[in-house]
Amino acid sequence: MTALHFAYKVRDALGRASAGTLDAASREEATSKLRKDGFHVVELAEEEEGMDLFPKRIKQSDIIFLTSQLAVMVDTGIALSVAMETIASQEENKTLKKVLLDLKKRVEEGEDFSTALSRHGKHFDKTYISLVKASEHTGTLGEMLESISDYLRKQLETRQKVKAAMAYPGIMLMLAVGVTIFMLTYVLPMFTPLFNRKGIKLPIATRVLMALSDTFLSYWYLWIIGLVALVLAYVFGSKTEAGRKFLDGVKLNLPLIGQLNRKIIVSRSMRTLGTMIGAGVSMLDAIRLAAEVSGNIYYEQIWLHVLDQITQGKRVAESLMGSKLFPSTLVQMIASGEETGKLDKVLAKVSTYYDREVESSIKSATSMIEPILIVGMGIVVGSIAIGLLLPIFQLSKPAH
């Protein structure tokens, strides 16, 4: 018989509540199992596997909040499995609740917390798992979870600032494209029959607009195919090395945005490297993770070069020397940290400095992008309006 999956809420002999899941052939068997373990069953419900067609997504903010809760509870002496069970019993996100209960089950079965987390790599990245693994060797899980929470929170804040800053320019760009398409496919075709009946000689601007309008209306399916092809080329191209090099190169060299991207990557890499070294993770593993979190193939290649140089006995600063993607002042600070044995603290200060630089760059970039978009939108819409008005002016002139 196929085992069924049950979620339960029970109380023990002392009246303490707990919750969890178990597999049993029937409701009666599940109840019997719980009673044999000395529990009073408060609630027992069958969970239908495979019925959740759209499971709720676990957001980064959920992971941060969970990590902060675990840090506090573990620091106060609560066992990790009990902490996860308590949080799971109050968790409304069913997906996260299942993850927590699975982690609890594996930890109770004797599995290391880091190993259990690695089974859920979709939600807990390699940096998270490596930091937890390092803390397991030093017995500082509570402190490490708090550090991880701070690390993730800073990363999330940076992403949110970038998204918020780019939202208005993005809306303006979409509005400009939408208005242009509307005028070419709806407004201009209304005037075309009038111009044709009058038989006037149309200005070049109007003829260009009418040709563009005809292309949109007659070959609209080609535009859609072209747009889909462009999206597919981006998606699949970004998975190839040549495609990544092209796209990542564009991101680093775009006017205004390029410098911002560089600062974000440097900040992310430095924070990861500093956090990992401070947690006791080996330098080689820390650099590998710094390469992974960089999110850009050119920075990734530099970090892998550093990794290779370190295995040959060189230092980080020495390996970064001469790189165009890392400022010389940054390399000097890393060298100072290596000489004094305070590299993790130096990297933490560097990442904080670059966070402020990112914020400043975001403000300056958006302050320049917004007027550029407004002027661009004005030029496009104005050109279309002029193309429409010029023939109308000709029609309004008295015939000689």
Side-chain angles (χ1 to χ4, degrees):
M1 181 181 286
T2 305
L4 302 175
H5 201 61
F6 294 91
Y8 63 82
K9 289 183 181 179
V10 296
R11 291 187 182 277
D12 62 13
L14 298 176
R16 292 176 298 195
S18 62
T21 61
L22 60 80
D23 295 323
S26 64
R27 180 180 292 272
E28 290 73 23
E29 183 179 322
T31 305
S32 177
K33 281 184 179 181
L34 292 169
R35 285 175 177 170
K36 281 181 182 178
D37 291 335
F39 293 115
H40 170 68
V41 180
V42 176
E43 185 177 328
L44 184 66
E46 180 182 342
E47 291 190 343
E48 295 183 11
E49 300 286 357
M51 292 301 290
D52 196 1
L53 297 177
F54 303 101
K56 192 173 181 181
R57 187 171 65 91
I58 298 176
K59 298 182 289 187
Q60 182 78 339
S61 56
D62 295 329
I63 298 296
I64 293 170
F65 184 60
L66 164 65
T67 307
S68 296
Q69 284 182 301
L70 283 175
V72 172
M73 296 177 81
V74 171
D75 257 343
T76 55
I78 299 173
L80 181 60
S81 59
V82 175
M84 287 190 288
E85 183 179 49
T86 304
I87 296 170
S89 65
Q90 301 170 3
E91 183 56 56
E92 295 181 359
N93 186 327
K94 291 183 180 180
T95 308
L96 182 55
K97 184 172 185 174
K98 286 181 180 178
V99 170
L100 280 168
L101 292 175
D102 182 69
L103 291 172
K104 165 190 169 288
K105 178 184 175 184
R106 294 183 185 281
V107 168
E108 287 179 339
E109 290 174 352
E111 206 169 80
D112 289 336
F113 187 37
S114 58
T115 306
L117 287 170
S118 66
R119 299 180 186 276
H120 298 278
K122 181 181 177 182
H123 309 300
F124 303 95
D125 60 23
K126 290 182 180 179
T127 304
Y128 194 114
I129 296 165
S130 296
L131 289 170
V132 169
K133 189 173 183 178
S135 72
E136 289 172 339
H137 294 301
T138 57
T140 56
L141 181 59
E143 294 175 21
M144 183 55 69
L145 287 170
E146 187 59 40
S147 297
I148 294 170
S149 175
D150 290 339
Y151 167 81
L152 294 176
R153 189 176 291 109
K154 286 175 182 176
Q155 279 198 325
L156 182 62
E157 285 173 358
T158 301
R159 280 201 299 270
Q160 287 176 336
K161 285 175 184 176
V162 173
K163 285 182 180 178
M166 293 297 122
Y168 178 71
I171 292 171
M172 286 293 295
L173 185 61
M174 289 175 63
L175 185 61
V177 172
V179 169
T180 303
I181 293 173
F182 172 74
M183 294 189 75
L184 288 174
T185 58
Y186 183 76
V187 178
L188 187 60
M190 294 174 66
F191 289 88
T192 302
L194 174 63
F195 298 154
N196 291 335
R197 283 199 307 269
K198 295 295 182 180
I200 61 172
K201 186 179 179 181
L202 297 174
I204 295 175
T206 308
R207 292 203 300 271
V208 170
L209 286 175
M210 289 178 67
L212 193 57
S213 176
D214 287 339
T215 304
F216 265 109
L217 292 171
S218 302
Y219 303 102
W220 57 269
Y221 53 91
L222 292 179
W223 286 92
I224 294 175
I225 292 171
L227 182 61
V228 172
L230 195 63
V231 172
L232 291 175
Y234 176 82
V235 172
F236 290 106
S238 61
K239 294 179 181 179
T240 65
E241 186 174 351
R244 281 190 66 196
K245 280 187 174 182
F246 173 75
L247 292 171
D248 288 349
V250 169
K251 290 174 185 176
L252 294 179
N253 294 291
L254 277 173
L256 301 177
I257 305 298
Q259 281 299 321
L260 175 60
N261 280 326
R262 293 180 187 222
K263 289 174 182 178
I264 291 171
I265 293 168
V266 170
S267 172
R268 188 190 303 146
S269 299
M270 293 299 112
R271 184 183 299 113
T272 301
L273 193 60
T275 304
M276 300 295 282
I277 294 170
V281 177
S282 71
M283 179 65 78
L284 296 179
D285 288 338
I287 291 172
R288 283 194 194 95
L289 287 167
E292 288 183 14
V293 303
S294 64
N296 186 285
I297 194 168
Y298 291 98
Y299 278 92
E300 190 177 316
Q301 287 174 344
I302 291 174
W303 282 119
L304 293 177
H305 167 73
V306 172
L307 184 64
D308 181 61
Q309 293 294 301
I310 286 178
T311 57
Q312 297 177 28
K314 293 185 178 180
R315 291 187 171 186
V316 176
E318 188 181 357
S319 305
L320 287 174
M321 205 81 70
S323 170
K324 294 180 180 179
L325 296 178
F326 287 92
S328 57
T329 52
L330 170 60
V331 177
Q332 289 172 3
M333 285 188 279
I334 292 173
S336 174
E338 287 181 305
E339 289 172 5
T340 58
K342 298 179 180 179
L343 182 57
D344 57 326
K345 292 182 175 61
V346 170
L347 291 174
K349 289 180 180 179
V350 167
S351 65
T352 301
Y353 166 77
Y354 271 93
D355 282 342
R356 289 197 293 266
E357 283 290 297
V358 167
E359 193 168 348
S360 175
S361 295
I362 288 172
K363 289 178 181 177
S364 60
T366 50
S367 66
M368 295 180 71
I369 290 172
E370 288 174 12
I372 289 172
L373 284 173
I374 292 170
V375 170
M377 185 176 176
I379 291 172
V380 171
V381 175
S383 299
I384 295 173
I386 291 171
L388 286 173
L389 291 173
L390 286 176
I392 293 173
F393 289 152
Q394 288 185 13
L395 289 172
S396 62
K397 287 180 182 179
H400 294 290

